[in-house]
Amino acid sequence: MLNTSAYKKEFINMLRNKSEDKNLLKAGLDSLLDAYLAPADMTEKFRTALKKECLFRRYASEQQLDQADGNIIAMASTGTAAITADSGLFPEESDRFQRISYGSYKIASLCKLNHKFITDTKFDIEGYLVNEFARRFGRAEEKVLLTGRGNNEPHGLLLVTESISTAESSRISFDDVINLYFSLGSEYRAGAIWIMNDETALHLRTLKDQNGNYLWHPLSDSLLGKPVAISPYMPSINSGKKAILFCDLSYFWLLERQALTIKGLFELFAAEDQIGYAAYERLDGKLIRPEACRALTVA
């Protein structure tokens, strides 16, 4: 129902406070908060815009779920193929299954617009809200999925990732980066990326080997042939901090429990000649294979 033209038309009418038949929105109603799920195509535009703001939306595996919380079954396959005789047995697979519990954490934001913009039918209210909420939500997602402590928020990647330490205190050397690279199994290195903040990236750009060759490749903007994702939410090079992550984020599952949902606030800000839009989503994040990620902790 969320992908019908009737639903989308009435949803846009709702955003402009010109609803004609709210019964058309029942399929997307969150009765607890009197809010509505965005239409399917608007949700896809929102997810596309999120990729520009959140590294997990670019690199992690997204899963859409129907229940607020519970368990998911994750399969970790180590099976192989081999040559066998026609009458021989098939190689026994080494698939393992693990039950992973997940929660439903709400990320919310409030946007206000001038009433004249909303009533102007030429104003692209859908496009504006998609881009504005994508900017806000994407940054919030990246922060909490990296730094979450598990107390009313997800267990962030920094919290759950095992680490190796630098050889010296308060600094990162060329050899430390090499050691981090090889601390990750070869099957995970193939699809791995580096995650760090700007300050750490600047430092790594100055590192050279004994022959004077830079560790960082300037043309491809890569490190040892692997892409670098910059996040302002990563710690700097300080003692006891995990300054660099090296991960195959396909093994990090971004679990989307509830997609973008919006409630129009048409009276709350009327005195200011404004209309408010309260938006939220519910999600969680899980590293389903701990061995797919390693961190470098500054000694």
Side-chain angles (χ1 to χ4, degrees):
M1 292 297 291
L2 302 187
N3 61 355
T4 65
S5 58
Y7 184 92
K8 179 174 182 179
K9 179 181 178 181
E10 184 59 21
F11 185 86
I12 299 299
N13 286 339
M14 181 276 295
L15 294 180
R16 296 187 185 279
N17 197 22
K18 295 181 179 180
S19 292
E20 297 176 358
D21 184 2
K22 280 197 173 181
N23 286 327
L24 295 173
L25 298 178
K26 280 186 176 180
L29 174 64
D30 182 345
S31 57
L32 184 64
L33 296 175
D34 193 27
Y36 300 93
L37 283 166
D41 64 336
M42 184 176 177
T43 298
E44 287 309 307
K45 292 176 184 177
F46 177 67
R47 288 176 179 148
T48 299
L50 279 173
K51 293 181 185 296
K52 299 177 183 179
E53 304 291 344
C54 178
L55 67 89
F56 290 94
R57 292 285 182 170
R58 296 194 296 273
Y59 295 106
S61 297
E62 295 184 39
Q63 310 286 338
Q64 275 79 49
L65 305 173
D66 295 325
Q67 297 180 341
D69 50 42
N71 296 291
I72 53 174
I73 304 298
M75 183 178 75
S77 176
T78 57
T80 60
I83 294 176
T84 62
D86 287 339
S87 58
L89 298 175
F90 285 90
E92 183 178 349
E93 294 295 337
S94 300
D95 297 323
R96 69 178 189 270
F97 298 86
Q98 55 180 325
R99 187 178 299 273
I100 299 176
S101 61
Y102 67 90
S104 179
Y105 301 100
K106 180 180 175 183
I107 296 179
S109 184
L110 174 63
C111 173
K112 292 189 288 185
L113 284 170
N114 186 279
H115 186 269
K116 291 182 180 179
F117 283 128
I118 308 305
T119 56
D120 184 352
T121 56
K122 295 182 180 180
F123 176 67
D124 183 10
I125 187 171
E126 176 188 2
Y128 179 86
L129 292 179
V130 162
N131 291 321
E132 182 62 21
F133 284 130
R135 179 184 64 83
R136 300 181 186 191
F137 281 63
R139 296 175 185 183
E141 287 180 4
E142 183 169 302
K143 181 178 181 180
V144 75
L145 293 177
L146 272 176
T147 67
R149 304 301 296 177
N151 183 19
N152 297 320
E153 60 185 7
H155 290 79
L157 196 56
L158 286 165
L159 181 68
V160 301
T161 299
E162 296 182 4
S163 67
I164 63 171
S165 295
T166 60
E168 301 179 35
S169 62
S170 302
R171 69 181 300 267
I172 295 176
S173 70
F174 187 103
D175 288 344
D176 291 328
V177 179
I178 299 297
N179 288 337
L180 177 59
Y181 179 87
F182 284 101
S183 71
L184 199 67
S186 58
E187 64 179 295
Y188 304 113
R189 289 202 301 270
I193 65 167
W194 306 91
I195 307 174
M196 65 192 74
N197 68 19
D198 267 325
E199 180 183 331
T200 303
L202 177 60
H203 171 70
L204 296 190
R205 281 177 177 271
T206 68
L207 295 183
K208 301 177 183 179
D209 64 16
Q210 58 186 1
N211 297 317
N213 298 311
Y214 283 102
L215 178 66
W216 193 292
H217 195 284
L219 295 180
S220 60
D221 220 21
S222 61
L223 193 60
L224 298 177
K226 302 302 177 183
V228 179
I230 301 297
S231 174
Y233 310 111
M234 284 292 293
S236 295
I237 304 174
N238 295 314
S239 181
K241 299 297 184 180
K242 294 177 178 178
I244 305 176
L245 291 170
F246 188 48
C247 308
D248 183 343
L249 283 186
S250 67
Y251 294 100
F252 186 95
W253 285 11
L254 192 158
L255 306 169
E256 186 180 271
R257 160 63 183 91
Q258 185 173 4
L260 180 67
T261 304
I262 300 177
K263 175 182 175 67
L265 304 173
F266 303 109
E267 298 179 3
L268 187 60
F269 306 106
E272 305 169 34
D273 198 27
Q274 294 178 332
I275 294 176
Y277 296 97
Y280 58 95
E281 63 178 1
R282 301 180 193 274
L283 54 75
D284 197 359
K286 294 291 181 181
L287 182 62
I288 64 165
R289 271 199 181 183
E291 61 269 30
C293 193
R294 288 290 180 269
L296 182 66
T297 297
V298 183

